[in-house]
Amino acid sequence: MTDPAVDAPQTPTGPAPRGLDLDRLAAYLDEHRPRLAGPLSARLIAGGKSNLTYLLRAGDREVVLRRPPLGHVLATAHDMAREYRVISALAPTAVPVPGALLLCADPDVIGAPFYLMEKVDGEVYRRREQTDALTPGQRRDLAFAMMDTLAGLHMVEPAAVGLADFGRPDGYLARQVRRWAGQLDRSRSRPLPGIDELRDALTSSVPEGANAGRIVHGDYRLDNLLATVEPVAVRAVLDWEMATLGDPLADLGLLLTYWDVLGDSDSAEGNPVADGIGPRAGFPTGAELIDRYAGRSDVDVGPLHWHVALGCFKLAVICEGIHYRHTLGQTLGGGFDRIGEMVAPLVEHGLRAVREK
């Protein structure tokens, strides 16, 4: 991965990056994956705001390690086994994913469950200076490649890749509202005007979900992709911790939340999850993205305002949880100090969206 890394490489005999115990990891790999054994060094890959990702050098080989965040971890979130299972299942499909190497469910090894995956060359486009360097044609092609990849994911038949029991499609949207309402209650650390009203409005207006039963990513956006622009291609889809079987419109609604709600707002500049995306950064509009998706998928996109409202609620809860961890000193890397600022505008837009007819 070419995303910038922080923390100098460390060896098992010196201090490890926070969140890793390299001595225990080396002993574990020596027993379970001898080909990855040997002197270890690691560095945190900066940019992610949830699970922690490290570039791990094992001898002359580089692989990627994923583990949950430090400290305050929400129930059912940050599931390493879930990520590992879905990228393993999608490996033979056209959906680009890193190769899965090893899953360790034992928290005693490094302090939390983790998994290893292949390192994939490419760039994570999340900062304005990165996307400003692209030509208008590259921005357009990259955005459309993002949508083509999402359409391809939603066209995969779960049973054909061993994921028939990966989720419970019936009642998925109602469960999403309940789940994020529960996560909100476990992340409250300050007054959040309007968020309970948004929760109640979503609860009372859940659509039928005619498209249920597809594989959904759960947090699909540009900076969860590894991509190249010469040629333009999505090399890998990352961060599968929220994947399940459900309604693909939830993926579209959340993507539009990032793209049109955050990416096209006055607060986008310098924002750690909204800077560099959306129409303000020279990319196609959200409507153009949906048209591209609809032309390559059999999913009935229909009205998306409820799903955008759900995306706003979900992202507001996620941001509040990250904000809470940051106030406790449990985040690694930079850019966390502004996450809390995103909650209020997300709630405001979500209320407007859920009231649309």
Side-chain angles (χ1 to χ4, degrees), residues 20 23 48-49 51 63 86 91 101 110 126 172 187 300 312 316 323:
L20 281 186
D23 288 326
K49 298 293 179 278
N51 286 337
V63 297
V86 72
L101 298 175
I110 67 167
R126 67 164 52 95
Y172 166 77
S187 297
D300 178 9
C312 289
H323 167 77

PDB file of all heavy atoms in Angstrom, residues 20 23 48-49 51 63 86 91 101 110 126 172 187 300 312 316 323:
ATOM      1  N   LEU A  20       0.431  -3.372  18.780  1.00  0.00           N
ATOM      2  CA  LEU A  20       1.100  -4.599  18.354  1.00  0.00           C
ATOM      3  C   LEU A  20       2.073  -5.054  19.431  1.00  0.00           C
ATOM      4  O   LEU A  20       2.732  -4.243  20.076  1.00  0.00           O
ATOM      5  CB  LEU A  20       1.884  -4.389  17.055  1.00  0.00           C
ATOM      6  CG  LEU A  20       1.136  -4.369  15.729  1.00  0.00           C
ATOM      7  CD1 LEU A  20       2.138  -4.305  14.580  1.00  0.00           C
ATOM      8  CD2 LEU A  20       0.243  -5.587  15.577  1.00  0.00           C
ATOM      9  N   ASP A  23       6.939  -9.306  19.668  1.00  0.00           N
ATOM     10  CA  ASP A  23       7.543 -10.529  20.200  1.00  0.00           C
ATOM     11  C   ASP A  23       6.543 -11.682  20.175  1.00  0.00           C
ATOM     12  O   ASP A  23       6.850 -12.786  19.703  1.00  0.00           O
ATOM     13  CB  ASP A  23       8.025 -10.294  21.636  1.00  0.00           C
ATOM     14  CG  ASP A  23       9.252  -9.410  21.702  1.00  0.00           C
ATOM     15  OD1 ASP A  23      10.088  -9.491  20.784  1.00  0.00           O
ATOM     16  OD2 ASP A  23       9.369  -8.639  22.663  1.00  0.00           O
ATOM     17  N   GLY A  48      -6.728   5.557   8.275  1.00  0.00           N
ATOM     18  CA  GLY A  48      -7.929   4.891   8.709  1.00  0.00           C
ATOM     19  C   GLY A  48      -8.430   5.468  10.027  1.00  0.00           C
ATOM     20  O   GLY A  48      -7.643   5.860  10.882  1.00  0.00           O
ATOM     21  N   LYS A  49      -9.743   5.517  10.181  1.00  0.00           N
ATOM     22  CA  LYS A  49     -10.323   6.108  11.384  1.00  0.00           C
ATOM     23  C   LYS A  49     -11.041   5.077  12.243  1.00  0.00           C
ATOM     24  O   LYS A  49     -11.726   5.428  13.180  1.00  0.00           O
ATOM     25  CB  LYS A  49     -11.296   7.232  10.984  1.00  0.00           C
ATOM     26  CG  LYS A  49     -10.625   8.379  10.233  1.00  0.00           C
ATOM     27  CD  LYS A  49      -9.660   9.123  11.128  1.00  0.00           C
ATOM     28  CE  LYS A  49      -8.962  10.262  10.409  1.00  0.00           C
ATOM     29  NZ  LYS A  49      -7.818   9.828   9.615  1.00  0.00           N
ATOM     30  N   ASN A  51     -10.642   0.540  12.354  1.00  0.00           N
ATOM     31  CA  ASN A  51      -9.671  -0.511  12.609  1.00  0.00           C
ATOM     32  C   ASN A  51      -8.261  -0.017  12.320  1.00  0.00           C
ATOM     33  O   ASN A  51      -8.056   0.879  11.507  1.00  0.00           O
ATOM     34  CB  ASN A  51      -9.980  -1.740  11.760  1.00  0.00           C
ATOM     35  CG  ASN A  51     -11.193  -2.498  12.280  1.00  0.00           C
ATOM     36  OD1 ASN A  51     -11.543  -2.389  13.444  1.00  0.00           O
ATOM     37  ND2 ASN A  51     -11.834  -3.248  11.420  1.00  0.00           N
ATOM     38  N   VAL A  63       3.530  -7.734   4.301  1.00  0.00           N
ATOM     39  CA  VAL A  63       2.115  -8.080   4.340  1.00  0.00           C
ATOM     40  C   VAL A  63       1.408  -7.022   5.176  1.00  0.00           C
ATOM     41  O   VAL A  63       2.042  -6.135   5.756  1.00  0.00           O
ATOM     42  CB  VAL A  63       1.882  -9.491   4.929  1.00  0.00           C
ATOM     43  CG1 VAL A  63       2.525 -10.551   4.054  1.00  0.00           C
ATOM     44  CG2 VAL A  63       2.408  -9.570   6.358  1.00  0.00           C
ATOM     45  N   VAL A  86     -15.063 -12.646   4.328  1.00  0.00           N
ATOM     46  CA  VAL A  86     -15.612 -12.093   3.095  1.00  0.00           C
ATOM     47  C   VAL A  86     -14.533 -11.899   2.036  1.00  0.00           C
ATOM     48  O   VAL A  86     -14.763 -12.167   0.850  1.00  0.00           O
ATOM     49  CB  VAL A  86     -16.404 -10.798   3.364  1.00  0.00           C
ATOM     50  CG1 VAL A  86     -15.516  -9.633   3.701  1.00  0.00           C
ATOM     51  CG2 VAL A  86     -17.296 -10.458   2.175  1.00  0.00           C
ATOM     52  N   ALA A  91     -12.381 -13.805  -3.236  1.00  0.00           N
ATOM     53  CA  ALA A  91     -11.121 -13.946  -3.972  1.00  0.00           C
ATOM     54  C   ALA A  91     -11.293 -14.496  -5.387  1.00  0.00           C
ATOM     55  O   ALA A  91     -10.669 -13.983  -6.325  1.00  0.00           O
ATOM     56  CB  ALA A  91     -10.139 -14.806  -3.179  1.00  0.00           C
ATOM     57  N   LEU A 101      -4.427 -14.261   4.194  1.00  0.00           N
ATOM     58  CA  LEU A 101      -3.286 -15.101   4.557  1.00  0.00           C
ATOM     59  C   LEU A 101      -3.471 -15.848   5.871  1.00  0.00           C
ATOM     60  O   LEU A 101      -3.101 -17.008   5.978  1.00  0.00           O
ATOM     61  CB  LEU A 101      -2.018 -14.246   4.652  1.00  0.00           C
ATOM     62  CG  LEU A 101      -1.556 -13.548   3.378  1.00  0.00           C
ATOM     63  CD1 LEU A 101      -0.356 -12.653   3.683  1.00  0.00           C
ATOM     64  CD2 LEU A 101      -1.203 -14.571   2.315  1.00  0.00           C
ATOM     65  N   ILE A 110      -1.590 -10.385  20.282  1.00  0.00           N
ATOM     66  CA  ILE A 110      -1.182  -8.972  20.175  1.00  0.00           C
ATOM     67  C   ILE A 110      -2.092  -8.036  20.962  1.00  0.00           C
ATOM     68  O   ILE A 110      -1.965  -6.823  20.875  1.00  0.00           O
ATOM     69  CB  ILE A 110      -1.120  -8.514  18.696  1.00  0.00           C
ATOM     70  CG1 ILE A 110      -2.524  -8.504  18.070  1.00  0.00           C
ATOM     71  CG2 ILE A 110      -0.154  -9.368  17.885  1.00  0.00           C
ATOM     72  CD1 ILE A 110      -2.588  -7.770  16.742  1.00  0.00           C
ATOM     73  N   ARG A 126      -7.661  10.009  -0.557  1.00  0.00           N
ATOM     74  CA  ARG A 126      -8.489  10.599   0.488  1.00  0.00           C
ATOM     75  C   ARG A 126      -8.182  12.066   0.743  1.00  0.00           C
ATOM     76  O   ARG A 126      -8.934  12.742   1.412  1.00  0.00           O
ATOM     77  CB  ARG A 126      -8.370   9.808   1.796  1.00  0.00           C
ATOM     78  CG  ARG A 126      -7.028   9.839   2.482  1.00  0.00           C
ATOM     79  CD  ARG A 126      -7.144   9.368   3.954  1.00  0.00           C
ATOM     80  NE  ARG A 126      -7.816   8.100   4.113  1.00  0.00           N
ATOM     81  CZ  ARG A 126      -7.198   6.933   4.203  1.00  0.00           C
ATOM     82  NH1 ARG A 126      -5.887   6.876   4.113  1.00  0.00           N
ATOM     83  NH2 ARG A 126      -7.888   5.825   4.360  1.00  0.00           N
ATOM     84  N   TYR A 172     -33.402  -6.427   7.246  1.00  0.00           N
ATOM     85  CA  TYR A 172     -32.060  -5.827   7.328  1.00  0.00           C
ATOM     86  C   TYR A 172     -32.112  -4.341   7.647  1.00  0.00           C
ATOM     87  O   TYR A 172     -31.391  -3.859   8.534  1.00  0.00           O
ATOM     88  CB  TYR A 172     -31.330  -6.060   6.007  1.00  0.00           C
ATOM     89  CG  TYR A 172     -30.088  -5.214   5.824  1.00  0.00           C
ATOM     90  CD1 TYR A 172     -28.906  -5.529   6.479  1.00  0.00           C
ATOM     91  CD2 TYR A 172     -30.100  -4.094   4.987  1.00  0.00           C
ATOM     92  CE1 TYR A 172     -27.760  -4.750   6.313  1.00  0.00           C
ATOM     93  CE2 TYR A 172     -28.973  -3.314   4.816  1.00  0.00           C
ATOM     94  CZ  TYR A 172     -27.808  -3.649   5.480  1.00  0.00           C
ATOM     95  OH  TYR A 172     -26.691  -2.873   5.318  1.00  0.00           O
ATOM     96  N   SER A 187     -22.020   5.242  22.792  1.00  0.00           N
ATOM     97  CA  SER A 187     -20.974   6.198  22.434  1.00  0.00           C
ATOM     98  C   SER A 187     -21.275   7.618  22.881  1.00  0.00           C
ATOM     99  O   SER A 187     -20.497   8.524  22.592  1.00  0.00           O
ATOM    100  CB  SER A 187     -20.769   6.202  20.900  1.00  0.00           C
ATOM    101  OG  SER A 187     -20.315   4.950  20.445  1.00  0.00           O
ATOM    102  N   ASP A 300     -32.736  -2.255  -8.461  1.00  0.00           N
ATOM    103  CA  ASP A 300     -33.654  -1.135  -8.650  1.00  0.00           C
ATOM    104  C   ASP A 300     -33.267  -0.043  -7.666  1.00  0.00           C
ATOM    105  O   ASP A 300     -33.505  -0.158  -6.467  1.00  0.00           O
ATOM    106  CB  ASP A 300     -35.091  -1.598  -8.408  1.00  0.00           C
ATOM    107  CG  ASP A 300     -36.105  -0.470  -8.546  1.00  0.00           C
ATOM    108  OD1 ASP A 300     -35.717   0.633  -8.995  1.00  0.00           O
ATOM    109  OD2 ASP A 300     -37.280  -0.693  -8.185  1.00  0.00           O
ATOM    110  N   CYS A 312     -26.554   9.039   6.851  1.00  0.00           N
ATOM    111  CA  CYS A 312     -26.206  10.158   7.734  1.00  0.00           C
ATOM    112  C   CYS A 312     -26.233   9.730   9.199  1.00  0.00           C
ATOM    113  O   CYS A 312     -25.335  10.087   9.978  1.00  0.00           O
ATOM    114  CB  CYS A 312     -27.175  11.324   7.516  1.00  0.00           C
ATOM    115  SG  CYS A 312     -26.977  12.187   5.934  1.00  0.00           S
ATOM    116  N   ALA A 316     -22.948   9.497  11.485  1.00  0.00           N
ATOM    117  CA  ALA A 316     -22.919  10.336  12.683  1.00  0.00           C
ATOM    118  C   ALA A 316     -22.572   9.511  13.915  1.00  0.00           C
ATOM    119  O   ALA A 316     -21.777   9.943  14.764  1.00  0.00           O
ATOM    120  CB  ALA A 316     -24.273  11.029  12.868  1.00  0.00           C
ATOM    121  N   HIS A 323     -14.934  10.065  17.916  1.00  0.00           N
ATOM    122  CA  HIS A 323     -14.710  11.244  18.744  1.00  0.00           C
ATOM    123  C   HIS A 323     -14.529  10.845  20.210  1.00  0.00           C
ATOM    124  O   HIS A 323     -13.636  11.362  20.908  1.00  0.00           O
ATOM    125  CB  HIS A 323     -15.889  12.206  18.597  1.00  0.00           C
ATOM    126  CG  HIS A 323     -15.924  13.300  19.610  1.00  0.00           C
ATOM    127  ND1 HIS A 323     -15.101  14.403  19.543  1.00  0.00           N
ATOM    128  CD2 HIS A 323     -16.679  13.446  20.744  1.00  0.00           C
ATOM    129  CE1 HIS A 323     -15.342  15.193  20.585  1.00  0.00           C
ATOM    130  NE2 HIS A 323     -16.283  14.637  21.319  1.00  0.00           N
TER     131      HIS A 323
END
